[in-house]
């Protein structure tokens, strides 16, 4: 079935970043015990940045890596630059 193949390919690289994001966010909430909005926002930022980092290094395709670099204002890796 083409729909199942599309879904499988779409979610191929997401389980690892999602699990690491959930673990880091859980640890931040469990040990930091945020009692204010600043703590909640900090925990969310930790989880989100962990998700992006793990996705970038372990699950993203080249187009997604270029999009992240462009959004963050970074230069692409040396292997992706035109010579």
């Amino acid at each position: 079935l083409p729909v199942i193949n599309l879904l499988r390919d779409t979610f191929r690289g997401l389980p690892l970043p999602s699990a690491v994001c959930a673990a880091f966010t859980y640890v931040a909430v469990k040990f930091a015990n945020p009692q204010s909005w600043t703590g909640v926002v900090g925990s969310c930022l930790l989880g989100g940045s962990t998700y992006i980092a793990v996705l970038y290094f372990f699950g993203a395709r080249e187009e997604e890596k270029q999009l992240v670099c462009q959004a963050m204002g970074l230069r692409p890796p040396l292997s992706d630059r035109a010579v």
Side-chain angles (χ1 to χ4, degrees), residues 9-77:
D9 291 342
T10 301
F11 295 110
R12 174 182 47 86
L14 297 181
L16 177 65
S18 298
V20 173
C21 170
F24 270 71
T25 305
Y26 174 78
V27 168
V29 169
K30 187 73 172 172
F31 293 113
N33 194 14
Q35 297 295 319
S36 65
W37 281 109
T38 307
V40 173
V41 169
S43 298
C44 290
L45 286 175
L46 175 68
S49 59
T50 303
Y51 178 84
I52 291 171
V54 172
L55 179 65
Y56 182 82
F57 289 111
F58 296 105
R61 295 184 294 266
E62 288 304 315
E63 309 87 50
E64 295 166 337
K65 288 181 182 182
Q66 290 175 1
L67 178 66
V68 169
C69 286
Q70 198 174 36
M72 295 179 68
L74 301 173
R75 294 175 26 189

